[in-house]
Amino acid sequence: MSLREQLKELHPMQRFRESAIGRSIWRVPDPKTPRDAAAKHWASFFMHIYPVKMRKEEIGFRYSWYLGISSLVLFLVLVATGVILMFFYVPSPQSAYLDIQRIQTDLPFGQFLRNAHRWAAHLMVFVVAAHMARVFYRGAYKPPKEFNWVVGVVLLVLTLLLSFTGYLLPWDQLAYWAITVGAAMAGFVPFLGDISKKLLLGGPEVGATTLLRFYVLHVAVLPLLLALVVTIHLWRWRKDSMLSPARTEDDLPIEEFVPVKEES
Amino acid sequence: MTDRSTVNDRLTPDPVVIENHRVLGVVPGIPPGGERKELEREEAVMVWPHLLVRHAVASLVVVGLVVLLAVLFNAPLREIANPNLTPNPEKAPWYFAALQELLAHFHPQVAGVLVPTGIIVGLAALPYIDRNPHLLPRYRKVAVATFTIFLVVWIVLTLIGFMFRGPNWGWVWPWQEWYGEL
Ligand code: HEM
């Protein structure tokens, strides 16, 4: 055993990993061979989200600009800040606006929290759209990734809806009239215009029912849906990652992609 | 020390003999399925650490950017909502500014329903319409041109609706009057 390996064995983290508790958490010992390193992926929930191996060119900045992972990070930031905001906010026309004011003035770091939630939300819309454009220019929607692109389009719509429903919650003039304009579009749907608008607003115009509806959509329905669809998106990304066919000199797939049963 | 390291030493390749299985023989020649071009081995790298480290850095950059923005700029809060006091202009959130701009020019059923539905359906259908197997932009001129035109039009409409529209949706110069809201 080399000196380096011997030193590693002495490292407290390493010894913890090899202990009964450590093994129960990590499930596999620290990898010593490539096979162990791959096994580590199957043994860990978080690593399992990722493929074991990827093409070298696909992990660099130039390939994805890391916009997909950035969308995910923004979503996580929004969940974290949003949950804290929820403790101090009640969705009714009597309290909503005052609660936002109190968050900004009375709550330690409240203004910072609200700022972070708002800017992360705007950024997320932008970054998700940019991610889509990057995927397009890379041609990364081509077989076998077509369906993951469709899943992505669903994510784009969910992101817009999340941002839109959140926009009403401060219940100030900005919020109220932006939603009034936006919701007016629902009224233009042929035949179902009135119904869809009433369903969205809970009345002829933006009011207490609208606020409650948007709140429930914003803090429960849409985030859960988005989390579910993101999971599907990442799972497909992992499944498809090494399946796209290698390419010839003049950029043609070496063989047509045929979906096959994966042997793991 | 675990007994694993003695069996699978770093220097020995993965064993061909796996528990309860033996390789009976290696047959020379071309497999019945025909010659299959394997991916070049060097092409693939382990996700840990190569990708995960990069993702960690990207995550830190994103979080840092949010913290920076939150420290520098306060989120807007206007007066309490008043259903009787319509502001002029009435602006939708910026990501709907392009649609709102279209609404000023076309029938609401076109700008408010047909266009957004068409965009979403068109985007979802893209991988099934574009069956060109090439990845490099120089072999995908039609797709790249179409998408780029759409993108540019959309960005321009968004900027117009967001920055260049004032009272009664009239034209304003953003450096003279500012009506954009985030
Ligand atoms: C909430 C929104 C979204 C999140 C969190 C998300 C997340 C991700 C992540 C983490 C990846 C892995 C590679 C990378 O970092 O780029 C990825 C890949 C991908 N995304 Fe998204 N995405 C979102 C929206 C979209 C949208 C709107 C589209 C397109 C319409 C899309 C299409 C794709 C495709 C096709 C891939 C595979 C690309 C490849 O393998 O090179 N995604 N996404």
Side-chain angles (χ1 to χ4, degrees), chain B residues 30-50:
Chain B
I30 297 167
E35 199 80 77
R36 209 183 123 96
K37 176 116 188 198
E38 289 293 329
L39 296 176
E40 282 173 42
R41 275 267 163 257
E42 324 77 81
E43 246 197 349
V45 293
M46 292 299 283
V47 159
W48 169 259
H50 300 285

Side-chain angles (χ1 to χ4, degrees), chain A residues 139 142-143 247 251-253, chain B residues 130-136 139-140:
Chain A
K142 308 225 161 170
R247 311 219 137 233
D251 185 41
L252 279 170
Chain B
D130 174 16
R131 299 309 284 181
N132 174 354
H134 284 289
L135 296 184
L136 296 179
Y139 300 115
R140 302 165 54 211

Side-chain angles (χ1 to χ4, degrees), chain B residues 150-161:
Chain B
F150 162 72
L151 209 60
V152 169
V153 167
W154 201 252
I155 291 171
V156 168
L157 285 175
T158 302
L159 288 177
I160 292 177

Side-chain angles (χ1 to χ4, degrees), chain A residues 1 4-5 9 18 23 29 31-38 40-41 47 50-57 59-60 66 69-70 73-74 77 93 97 100-101 104 111-112 114-116 118-120 122-123 125-126 132-133 136-139 141-143 146-147 149-150 153 156-157 160 163-164 167 170-174 176-178 180-182 185 188-190 205 237 242 244-247 250-255, chain B residues 1-2 4-5 8-10 12 14-15 18 36-39 41-48 50-52 54-55 58-60 62-63 65-71 73-87 90-96 99-100 103 108-109 111-113 116 120 122-128 130-140 143-144 147-151 181-182:
Chain A
M1 208 192 285
R4 196 165 160 263
E5 280 172 69
E9 294 283 321
E18 303 287 341
R23 278 181 156 248
K32 299 213 164 53
T33 66
R35 181 180 296 262
D36 293 347
K40 199 167 89 171
H41 275 262
M47 298 274 283
Y50 281 89
V52 175
K53 284 186 169 192
M54 274 180 76
R55 296 216 174 102
K56 205 168 173 191
E57 58 147 340
I59 68 169
Y66 302 134
I69 183 70
S70 300
V73 169
L74 286 168
V77 168
Y97 184 76
I100 299 285
Q101 275 184 329
Q104 295 188 159
Q111 177 79 59
F112 172 79
R114 178 168 180 240
N115 294 350
R118 186 134 184 142
W119 303 137
H122 284 317
L123 265 183
V125 174
F126 182 78
M132 179 178 83
F136 172 84
Y137 286 109
R138 267 284 158 190
Y141 56 89
K142 308 225 161 170
E146 308 101 305
F147 187 67
W149 169 274
V150 180
V153 174
L156 178 67
V157 173
L160 289 173
S163 188
F164 187 65
Y167 212 85
W171 202 250
D172 62 346
Q173 280 290 75
L174 195 57
Y176 188 92
W177 292 99
T180 301
V181 176
M185 285 179 205
F188 301 135
V189 179
E205 57 184 46
W237 168 65
M242 284 297 279
S244 15
R247 311 219 137 233
D250 48 355
D251 185 41
L252 279 170
I254 275 177
E255 55 198 23
Chain B
M1 273 268 327
T2 55
R4 264 182 105 100
S5 60
N8 285 351
D9 201 291
R10 189 170 283 176
T12 54
D14 285 354
I18 309 165
R36 209 183 123 96
K37 176 116 188 198
E38 289 293 329
L39 296 176
R41 275 267 163 257
E42 324 77 81
E43 246 197 349
V45 293
M46 292 299 283
V47 159
W48 169 259
H50 300 285
L51 179 63
L52 286 180
R54 287 171 167 84
H55 273 188
S59 308
L60 287 177
V62 169
V63 172
L65 181 63
V66 172
V67 169
L68 194 70
L69 286 173
V71 169
F73 306 104
N74 280 345
L77 189 67
R78 305 269 173 271
E79 305 77 55
I80 190 165
N82 182 350
N84 302 317
L85 194 73
T86 314
E90 268 185 276
K91 287 210 171 188
W94 65 269
Y95 38 83
F96 291 149
L99 283 178
Q100 205 184 357
L103 270 176
Q109 285 192 357
V113 184
I120 291 165
L123 281 176
L126 168 77
Y128 305 99
D130 174 16
R131 299 309 284 181
N132 174 354
H134 284 289
L135 296 184
L136 296 179
R138 66 167 172 276
Y139 300 115
R140 302 165 54 211
V144 167
F147 190 83
T148 306
I149 289 170
F150 162 72
L151 209 60
E181 300 271 19
L182 286 172

